[in-house]
Amino acid sequence: MDVLGWLDRRVPHRTLPHENRDLVDIAAWLIEDGFEPDDPGHIVQILGPTRVLGDQKDVGQTGDHLRDLAATGLDYTAVGSRIIPMPEDHCGRVGSLTARVRVLSRSRDRDPTP
């Protein structure tokens, strides 16, 4: 299970203290609250405001809250232990995966001619 999977099994512990907040701020608050008190190790990295204001609603699990926010102007992803909330129209690179390729050469595969 990735770091976001934990949030499907957690419920908010508290009520969001303010109304009419940017969706990335609500998402960051929900993520922090959702991992309390036994955080498996995560980092929240906000890439920019959505410029969409919202409130917290009682919809169940923390993951459900994030999916509701994603339906109204927020996008989010996880890269390793980082959870990255961002505006849904974000077009820049978020993270990159690299693959290490090891080339094995076998003497029988080599061209015998110099």
Side-chain angles (χ1 to χ4, degrees), residues 4 43-48 75-80 82-97:
L4 290 173
I43 299 165
V44 176
Q45 179 183 356
I46 296 173
L47 295 185
D75 197 3
Y76 63 96
T77 191
V79 178
R82 284 186 303 152
I83 301 174
I84 307 169
M86 67 195 99
E88 69 180 354
D89 59 354
H90 181 77
C91 296
R93 183 187 300 192
V94 173
S96 59
L97 301 176

Side-chain angles (χ1 to χ4, degrees), residues 57-70:
K57 296 183 180 179
D58 294 323
V59 294
Q61 307 292 343
T62 301
D64 295 332
H65 284 275
L66 290 174
R67 283 185 287 280
D68 281 352
L69 294 175

Side-chain angles (χ1 to χ4, degrees), residues 20-25 46-54 72-74 86-90:
N20 296 322
R21 298 180 68 166
D22 192 283
L23 298 184
V24 294
D25 295 330
I46 296 173
L47 295 185
T50 62
R51 296 182 181 88
V52 177
L53 303 180
T72 58
L74 175 79
M86 67 195 99
E88 69 180 354
D89 59 354
H90 181 77

Side-chain angles (χ1 to χ4, degrees), residues 1-20:
M1 169 180 359
D2 72 4
V3 72
L4 290 173
W6 282 77
L7 298 176
D8 285 331
R9 291 165 173 71
R10 302 313 256 300
V11 294
H13 298 92
R14 298 180 304 272
T15 302
L16 186 65
H18 304 289
E19 295 180 352
N20 296 322

